[in-house]
Amino acid sequence: MTTPLASRVVIGAAPLTPAQVVDVARHGAPVEIDAGARARVADARALVERLADDPVPHYGISTGFGALATTFIPPDRRRQLQASLIRSHAAGTGPEVEAEVVRGLQVLRLQTLATGHTGVRPEVVDTYVAMLNAGIVPVVREYGSLGCSGDLAPLAHIALAAMGEGKVRIGGAPMDAADALAAASITPLVLAEKEGLALINGTDGMLGMLLLAIADLDMLLDVADLSAALSIESQLGTDAVFAADLMALRPQVGQAASAANLRALLNPSPIIASHKGPADGRVQDAYSLRCAPQVHGAARDTLEHARTIAVRELSAAVDNPVITDDGRVESNGNFHGAPVGYVLDFLAIAVADVASISERRCDRALDVARNRDLPPFLADEVGVDSGLMIAQYAAAGIVSELKRLAVPASVDSIPSSAMQEDHVSMGWSAARKLRRAIDGLTRVLAIEIITGTRALDLRAPLQPGPGTGAVRDLVRTVVAGPGPDHVVSDDIEAVTALVRSGAIRNAAYPSTTSN
């Protein structure tokens, strides 16, 4: 879902905004560190170095980690301790995650380092900046994070690359990290006391994926209103039920927004106007048509709650131990991913339901008993052609999977680290399944758009409204109108690409800027 490359993002002067994170993660925006933030980093590091010389043990500075927190580490072994921590925690397995997820990890960890609450040296911050700006994307694998003590394994793979070890990608091409750093004139890090922990204790992976999901759903929920409008219009439904005064009787914010979109898309519409009045003969439309703003609106409200949690998390300095403003080094539990994990799961529920109601509208359009005099399956030659029959199967199969993906990950804690980490968030897993769910929703909406635009054409000579008509015209640039059967898969992929790029939303709502 593309936008123009953003301008340089300054880190450390204020918490990053969701849009800034997406710009860096998805669109490759360059970053720089605020001068004041770099000074705070240096001050915190000076405190850590004083504590490193203290004969009294301090967790993470002169001790082991996790279940080994009471083991004192002599000064001559501490650099080896930091390197060993990163190497042992870089235990990810499975397929590589997407580059935008990795860049989200990088920039969010960099933001926490820049707060001055982690105790790393300024050169650590500088290295992360340089890697981002050079487009060095460490290889991070899908499995390994339990979402407590942060996204340990994913973040460890970032730190490993900063040390000049492991694998990275530049422009999609694989490369040894050491070679990538050398090509970019970046000196590999040799970690000092506290720095290993500071690089891996955070909710950055799950938060980054939440922010990317929010950006996607901002667009997809507008598209859902559009696809519903196509179905309502082409199935000769009514827009009367979306009246502002009816919406005001139930003052849900998201519902009102979706209803406003539907009113704008369906008024004026010659198709809608063609059957208004008592001669229409129907008392009310089916729920999948009539209740679209209630369902889409509930998803919008869920999205706003998720945005609130994400913005709060963007203001956090998640590390353990943490350097406080008054110079204390304190252990804490702020790395636990529950706040983020819960809303990731909540969004997966909303995504599944929006896809479900979309698929039901699509099915109605193909059923001759319910589609108001359109041909069965919108086929060209009934009996010879199957029309969009199997496109609906595809949508149904996706919806079935989305229901399974809506089962929450955050209730599935499993103990680790010799029972020291005996309750975990599974937030990373919640984020991974939400990404798959969003892909599924995108495809289901594309299928409804294909169905709705074909049905609009079959209503000729009646014409659709300006917004739905503009979408129909855009779809016709990649998908043929009604006619004999052809390979439907190509149509679905083409319209899915239009949805994902933001082109569909921009056609329906020309005054809206794509995220």
Side-chain angles (χ1 to χ4, degrees):
M1 299 173 188
T2 59
T3 64
L5 183 66
S7 59
R8 185 172 295 268
V9 172
V10 177
I11 296 175
L16 291 173
T17 66
Q20 286 176 316
V21 175
V22 173
D23 284 342
V24 175
R26 179 168 284 169
H27 308 305
V31 300
E32 65 181 63
I33 292 295
D34 173 71
R38 200 172 189 280
R40 291 195 301 272
V41 170
D43 290 343
R45 182 63 201 177
L47 173 62
V48 168
E49 290 178 354
R50 290 195 299 272
L51 293 175
D53 295 331
D54 191 342
V56 177
H58 296 277
Y59 175 63
I61 298 174
S62 54
T63 72
F65 311 113
L68 304 177
T70 59
T71 302
F72 180 79
I73 308 297
D76 63 341
R77 302 297 293 156
R78 290 176 190 168
R79 288 199 169 187
Q80 181 62 41
L81 169 67
Q82 303 303 314
S84 294
L85 176 72
I86 299 304
R87 291 169 183 149
S88 65
H89 283 54
T93 186
E96 295 179 34
V97 302
E98 305 82 358
E100 66 179 19
V101 173
V102 179
R103 286 182 61 84
L105 272 165
Q106 290 175 286
V107 71
L108 289 170
R109 184 67 340 209
L110 177 58
Q111 174 175 248
T112 287
L113 299 178
T115 64
H117 289 294
T118 70
V120 301
R121 293 165 296 155
E123 49 260 55
V124 175
V125 172
D126 295 339
T127 298
Y128 271 51
V129 168
M131 289 175 65
L132 277 166
N133 290 343
I136 296 173
V137 180
V139 170
V140 175
R141 300 196 178 274
E142 184 160 11
Y143 303 110
S145 175
L146 298 180
C148 203
S149 288
D151 291 314
L152 291 172
L155 285 165
H157 283 278
I158 306 291
L160 189 72
M163 293 164 52
E165 301 180 23
K167 301 291 184 181
V168 302
R169 289 187 179 272
I170 298 181
M175 186 179 296
D176 288 336
D179 294 337
L181 294 183
S185 301
I186 301 171
T187 302
L189 287 175
V190 178
L191 300 180
E193 295 93 344
K194 177 65 175 64
E195 291 178 338
L197 274 182
L199 293 179
I200 64 175
N201 257 310
T203 57
D204 307 298
M206 64 185 89
L207 176 59
M209 286 186 275
L210 173 60
L211 292 165
L212 290 165
I214 289 170
D216 292 342
L217 289 171
D218 275 334
M219 184 269 290
L220 287 174
L221 291 179
D222 280 348
V223 173
D225 292 339
L226 173 275
S227 67
L230 285 168
S231 292
I232 293 161
E233 190 174 30
S234 63
Q235 293 175 43
L236 304 184
T238 178
D239 64 344
V241 294
F242 310 132
D245 60 343
L246 296 178
M247 295 301 102
L249 296 176
R250 190 189 199 188
Q252 297 288 354
V253 174
Q255 175 180 317
S258 283
N261 280 344
L262 287 165
R263 290 196 303 273
L265 290 163
L266 296 173
N267 184 21
S269 163
I271 294 178
I272 293 291
S274 72
H275 58 90
K276 281 190 175 180
D280 180 48
R282 274 188 299 173
V283 176
Q284 53 193 11
D285 290 329
Y287 285 10
S288 60
L289 305 177
R290 188 182 0 146
C291 300
Q294 284 75 17
V295 174
H296 298 179
R300 288 178 178 277
D301 290 338
T302 301
L303 182 61
E304 288 309 306
H305 172 62
R307 196 190 318 273
T308 296
I309 298 300
V311 169
R312 290 175 187 166
E313 195 74 1
L314 279 171
S315 298
V318 177
D319 192 15
N320 183 51
V322 69
I323 313 298
T324 65
D325 288 335
D326 59 1
R328 301 181 343 267
V329 179
E330 297 286 357
S331 292
N332 66 91
N334 286 339
F335 49 72
H336 198 290
V340 180
Y342 287 177
V343 293
L344 287 162
D345 282 334
F346 200 178
L347 285 176
I349 293 170
V351 164
D353 203 38
V354 172
S356 178
I357 196 172
S358 172
E359 182 276 331
R360 288 293 80 205
R361 291 190 297 260
C362 181
D363 183 64
R364 293 187 65 82
L366 305 182
D367 184 354
V368 69
R370 296 179 291 155
N371 66 14
R372 306 277 285 181
D373 302 321
L374 293 172
F377 305 107
L378 307 186
D380 184 55
E381 185 178 349
V382 177
V384 174
D385 293 322
S386 295
L388 296 177
M389 177 193 296
I390 308 304
Q392 184 269 326
Y393 282 31
I398 293 168
V399 167
S400 182
E401 179 171 353
L402 296 188
K403 292 174 183 177
R404 295 190 294 273
L405 291 171
V407 175
S410 54
V411 299
D412 194 26
S413 175
I414 191 166
S416 59
S417 192
M419 294 301 288
Q420 174 74 2
E421 298 168 8
D422 59 352
H423 186 276
V424 297
S425 77
M426 303 306 296
W428 173 274
S429 298
R432 294 305 298 166
K433 69 184 182 66
L434 177 59
R435 284 181 69 81
R436 183 166 178 82
I438 287 172
D439 177 71
L441 173 61
T442 305
R443 295 175 187 280
V444 171
L445 294 176
I447 291 168
E448 185 181 8
I449 289 166
I450 292 168
T451 304
T453 54
R454 180 181 285 202
L456 283 184
D457 284 341
L458 291 170
R459 293 294 181 193
L462 290 173
Q463 292 299 307
T468 51
V471 170
R472 189 269 314 275
D473 294 344
L474 175 61
V475 169
R476 287 292 160 263
T477 66
V478 296
V479 173
D485 281 354
H486 60 277
V487 178
V488 179
S489 175
D490 295 341
D491 295 350
I492 297 172
E493 293 304 307
V495 177
T496 296
L498 288 177
V499 172
R500 186 174 285 123
S501 71
I504 291 286
R505 182 174 72 169
N506 291 344
Y509 313 96
S511 63
T512 301
T513 301
S514 178
N515 282 331

